[in-house]
């Protein structure tokens, strides 16, 4: 156990300042397609179900692991040589975010909702890709022990909330206290995102031997592919089919969100097919590794361009997933992923409908800006640091248990507001407690994902785990408005239900606590 002084010493690392600034750039796009967009659509008179289901553009964050291997492997022309692998991808995605934000300022929400959804989706994809590169940058630039990761998680969380809540208060204040309306406000937000580009230009690129290790893995596949072309092609076909299936389930929904409810059966059917394809891929991969090398007396097969492409695809798309399940064991890996899926589900339901709730109860845009944004910003930063010190001293697992229970209990305060009506002091209490519990849980959660990554596939594996967590929050959380409507607007009962949603994740965490503790301890010794 670290002493209090030792725990604080981890924050002397100057690299944490860059992580904090990248956290701001990561959180700010959620204002553009989250809180500001929700307020805009609500002010235009759209229904609760429409507002909630419009959030399905966030599905990009839940399936960004599909293209995360490209962030690990593809070197961008020109800027890749000038800036390095991580910084070049961050720079490219931030340019795309600026362009999309500017485009949103040109639309009318009542008559061009479908077009706004398309541009919002492009912005979400760019932001989700930026998150892949930023998360990989944070893990690559820090030591792999749990204490360093907890400190990095605290700075990343503080930065994210600075971008989301601190800067996120600006559009609400502008709408209430200036002559600007939402399209003009989005021009201001575009300018802010442009300023955030400066950070990536002055940051330093992390030094790793990732490329060498990936080349060695690719050479191993290259020895097998010419000898067993059918197995290799079957693995690639399974993986590409799985990618196409997940992308279809994520992006093929109609532009009008209300129609999504009629297609819920297709999503379940796609999940069954996806599990089958994943199992087939692992079976073929295992068979490929078990095949004996050809004897030296056998005629040598000439390696051609197709073999090299297949070997590159196997290294890029298949190896990260295979390494994660092989290193952790299939049963344990699935349990970890299930915990990640469930951990912040209740918080997502609350967060998606919080702005709608505030407005229906009777809070003004200024109240939302001051309490939900500005106050929550400072509370989250403060308790992210406190939570990280606790996590460094007592460990990630205890931090997750305490954070999960506290997040559930904090949701009940919103039930009190629903029963008593708008009160600024009660809103301040709710924001204070919710910010404290959310920050505490987030620090431990991000530290856990960081520790579980293999640095050879940092971007791929972190994106896989993070996107699974986001999948539960986005896809299921998008039905939060439907649930409130189904409860006839009974907000108090709705928030009680969100508090109960944490129980399954804590049961999963308890069941895997021992093997999880061993993995964390082994990483600490390796560092």
């Amino acid at each position: 156990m670290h002493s209090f002084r030792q725990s604080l010493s981890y924050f002397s690392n100057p690299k944490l300042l860059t992580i904090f600034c990248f956290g701001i750039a990561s959180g700010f796009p959620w204002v553009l397609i989250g809180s500001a967009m929700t307020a805009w659509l609500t002010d235009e008179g759209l229904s609760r179900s429409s507002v909630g289901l419009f959030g399905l553009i966030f599905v990009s964050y839940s399936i960004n692991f599909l293209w995360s291997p490209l962030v690990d492997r593809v070197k961008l022309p020109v800027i890749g040589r000038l800036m390095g692998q991580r910084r070049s991808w961050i720079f490219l995605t931030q340019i795309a975010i600026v362009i999309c934000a500017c485009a949103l300022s040109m639309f009318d929400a009542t008559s061009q909702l479908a077009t706004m959804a398309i541009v919002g989706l492009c912005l979400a994809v760019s932001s989700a890709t930026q998150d892949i590169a930023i998360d990989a940058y944070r893990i690559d630039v820090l030591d792999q022990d749990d204490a360093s990761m907890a400190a990095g998680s605290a700075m990343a969380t503080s930065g994210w909330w600075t971008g989301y809540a601190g800067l996120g208060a600006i559009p609400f204040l502008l709408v209430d206290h200036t002559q600007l309306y939402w399209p003009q406000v989005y021009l201001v937000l575009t300018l802010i995102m442009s300023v955030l580009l400066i950070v990536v230009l002055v940051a330093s690129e992390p030094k790793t031997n990732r490329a060498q290790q990936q080349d060695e893995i690719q050479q191993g596949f290259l020895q097998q592919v010419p000898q067993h072309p059918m197995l290799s092609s079957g693995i690639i076909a399974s993986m590409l089919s799985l990618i196409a299936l997940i992308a279809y389930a994520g992006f093929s929904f109609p532009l009008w969100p209300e129609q999504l409810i009629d297609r819920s059966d297709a999503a379940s059917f796609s999940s069954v097919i996806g599990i089958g394809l994943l199992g087939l891929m692992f079976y073929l991969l295992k068979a490929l590794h078990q095949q004996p090398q050809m004897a030296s007396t056998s005629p040598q097969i000439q390696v051609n361009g197709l073999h090299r492409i297949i070997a590159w695809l196997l290294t890029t798309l298949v190896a990260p997933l295979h390494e994660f399940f092989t290193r952790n064991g299939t049963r344990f890996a699935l349990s970890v992923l299930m915990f990640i899926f469930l951990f912040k589900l209740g918080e997502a339901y609350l967060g998606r409908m919080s702005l709608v709730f505030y407005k229906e109860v009777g809070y003004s845009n200024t109240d939302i800006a001051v309490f939900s944004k500005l106050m929550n910003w400072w509370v989250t930063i403060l308790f992210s640091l406190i939570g990280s010190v606790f996590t460094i001293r007592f460990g990630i697992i205890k931090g997750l248990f305490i954070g999960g229970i506290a997040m559930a209990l904090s949701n009940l305060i919103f039930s009190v507001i629903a029963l008593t009506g708008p009160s600024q002091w009660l809103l301040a209490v709710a924001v204070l407690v919710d910010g404290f519990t959310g920050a505490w849980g987030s620090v431990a959660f991000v530290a856990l994902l960081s520790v579980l990554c293999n640095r050879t596939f940092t971007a791929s594996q972190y994106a896989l785990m993070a996107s699974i967590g986001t999948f539960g929050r986005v896809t299921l959380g998008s039905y939060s408005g439907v649930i409130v409507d189904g409860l006839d607007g009974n907000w108090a009962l709705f928030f009680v239900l969100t508090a109960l949603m944490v129980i399954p994740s804590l049961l999963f965490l308890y069941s895997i606590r021992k093997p999880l503790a061993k993995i964390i301890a082994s990483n600490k010794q390796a560092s």
Side-chain angles (χ1 to χ4, degrees), residues 114 185 217 229 272 319 323 348 377 402 405 413 440 458:
V185 167
I217 294 173
V272 174
E323 192 281 335
W377 168 29
I402 294 176
I405 295 172
I413 300 178
W440 193 295
T458 307

Short mmCIF file of all heavy atoms in Angstrom, two decimals, residues 114 185 217 229 272 319 323 348 377 402 405 413 440 458:
data_model
loop_
_atom_site.label_atom_id
_atom_site.label_comp_id
_atom_site.label_asym_id
_atom_site.label_seq_id
_atom_site.Cartn_x
_atom_site.Cartn_y
_atom_site.Cartn_z
N ALA A 114 -32.76 15.34 -40.38
CA ALA A 114 -32.09 14.18 -40.97
C ALA A 114 -30.66 14.54 -41.39
O ALA A 114 -29.72 13.78 -41.15
CB ALA A 114 -32.89 13.68 -42.18
N VAL A 185 -24.28 29.95 -31.97
CA VAL A 185 -23.49 29.41 -30.86
C VAL A 185 -22.54 28.32 -31.36
O VAL A 185 -21.40 28.20 -30.89
CB VAL A 185 -24.42 28.86 -29.76
CG1 VAL A 185 -23.65 28.01 -28.76
CG2 VAL A 185 -25.12 30.02 -29.05
N ILE A 217 5.09 -10.37 -35.25
CA ILE A 217 3.86 -11.14 -35.32
C ILE A 217 3.45 -11.35 -36.78
O ILE A 217 3.02 -12.44 -37.18
CB ILE A 217 2.74 -10.42 -34.55
CG1 ILE A 217 3.06 -10.38 -33.06
CG2 ILE A 217 1.39 -11.09 -34.78
CD1 ILE A 217 2.12 -9.53 -32.23
N PRO A 229 -3.47 -21.63 -46.99
CA PRO A 229 -4.23 -20.49 -47.51
C PRO A 229 -5.72 -20.55 -47.17
O PRO A 229 -6.35 -19.51 -46.97
CB PRO A 229 -4.01 -20.56 -49.02
CG PRO A 229 -3.64 -22.00 -49.28
CD PRO A 229 -2.89 -22.45 -48.07
N VAL A 272 -26.57 -12.83 -32.38
CA VAL A 272 -26.37 -14.28 -32.43
C VAL A 272 -25.42 -14.66 -33.56
O VAL A 272 -24.49 -15.47 -33.38
CB VAL A 272 -27.73 -14.99 -32.61
CG1 VAL A 272 -27.52 -16.49 -32.81
CG2 VAL A 272 -28.62 -14.73 -31.40
N ALA A 319 -5.09 -10.36 -34.56
CA ALA A 319 -4.12 -10.57 -33.47
C ALA A 319 -4.48 -9.82 -32.18
O ALA A 319 -4.32 -10.39 -31.09
CB ALA A 319 -2.71 -10.19 -33.94
N GLU A 323 -4.97 -12.03 -28.89
CA GLU A 323 -4.02 -11.88 -27.78
C GLU A 323 -4.76 -11.60 -26.48
O GLU A 323 -4.40 -12.14 -25.42
CB GLU A 323 -3.05 -10.75 -28.11
CG GLU A 323 -1.82 -10.66 -27.20
CD GLU A 323 -2.11 -9.99 -25.86
OE1 GLU A 323 -3.07 -9.19 -25.78
OE2 GLU A 323 -1.38 -10.28 -24.88
N ALA A 348 -25.69 6.23 -17.41
CA ALA A 348 -26.00 6.64 -18.78
C ALA A 348 -27.47 7.00 -18.93
O ALA A 348 -27.82 7.97 -19.60
CB ALA A 348 -25.64 5.51 -19.75
N TRP A 377 -18.18 20.60 -13.17
CA TRP A 377 -16.82 20.61 -13.69
C TRP A 377 -15.81 20.60 -12.55
O TRP A 377 -14.94 19.72 -12.48
CB TRP A 377 -16.66 21.83 -14.58
CG TRP A 377 -15.28 22.18 -15.00
CD1 TRP A 377 -14.23 21.31 -15.16
CD2 TRP A 377 -14.78 23.47 -15.34
NE1 TRP A 377 -13.11 22.00 -15.58
CE2 TRP A 377 -13.43 23.32 -15.69
CE3 TRP A 377 -15.37 24.73 -15.38
CZ2 TRP A 377 -12.65 24.40 -16.06
CZ3 TRP A 377 -14.59 25.81 -15.77
CH2 TRP A 377 -13.25 25.64 -16.10
N ILE A 402 -16.47 0.93 -4.46
CA ILE A 402 -16.97 2.13 -3.79
C ILE A 402 -17.62 3.07 -4.81
O ILE A 402 -18.70 3.63 -4.56
CB ILE A 402 -15.82 2.83 -3.05
CG1 ILE A 402 -15.34 1.95 -1.90
CG2 ILE A 402 -16.27 4.20 -2.52
CD1 ILE A 402 -14.16 2.50 -1.16
N ILE A 405 -21.18 1.65 -5.99
CA ILE A 405 -22.24 1.81 -4.98
C ILE A 405 -22.62 3.27 -4.82
O ILE A 405 -23.81 3.63 -4.74
CB ILE A 405 -21.77 1.22 -3.64
CG1 ILE A 405 -21.57 -0.31 -3.78
CG2 ILE A 405 -22.78 1.53 -2.54
CD1 ILE A 405 -20.93 -0.96 -2.57
N ILE A 413 -30.99 11.09 -5.34
CA ILE A 413 -31.20 12.50 -5.03
C ILE A 413 -32.05 13.16 -6.11
O ILE A 413 -32.87 14.05 -5.83
CB ILE A 413 -29.84 13.22 -4.89
CG1 ILE A 413 -29.03 12.58 -3.76
CG2 ILE A 413 -30.03 14.71 -4.61
CD1 ILE A 413 -27.67 13.18 -3.56
N TRP A 440 -15.14 9.45 -9.07
CA TRP A 440 -14.49 8.36 -8.35
C TRP A 440 -14.55 7.07 -9.16
O TRP A 440 -13.55 6.37 -9.34
CB TRP A 440 -15.19 8.16 -7.00
CG TRP A 440 -14.45 7.29 -6.03
CD1 TRP A 440 -14.15 5.97 -6.16
CD2 TRP A 440 -13.90 7.70 -4.78
NE1 TRP A 440 -13.47 5.51 -5.06
CE2 TRP A 440 -13.29 6.56 -4.19
CE3 TRP A 440 -13.87 8.90 -4.08
CZ2 TRP A 440 -12.67 6.59 -2.94
CZ3 TRP A 440 -13.25 8.93 -2.84
CH2 TRP A 440 -12.66 7.79 -2.29
N THR A 458 -2.23 -1.38 -28.10
CA THR A 458 -2.86 -0.46 -27.16
C THR A 458 -4.19 0.09 -27.67
O THR A 458 -5.22 0.01 -27.01
CB THR A 458 -1.92 0.72 -26.84
OG1 THR A 458 -0.65 0.20 -26.44
CG2 THR A 458 -2.49 1.57 -25.73
#
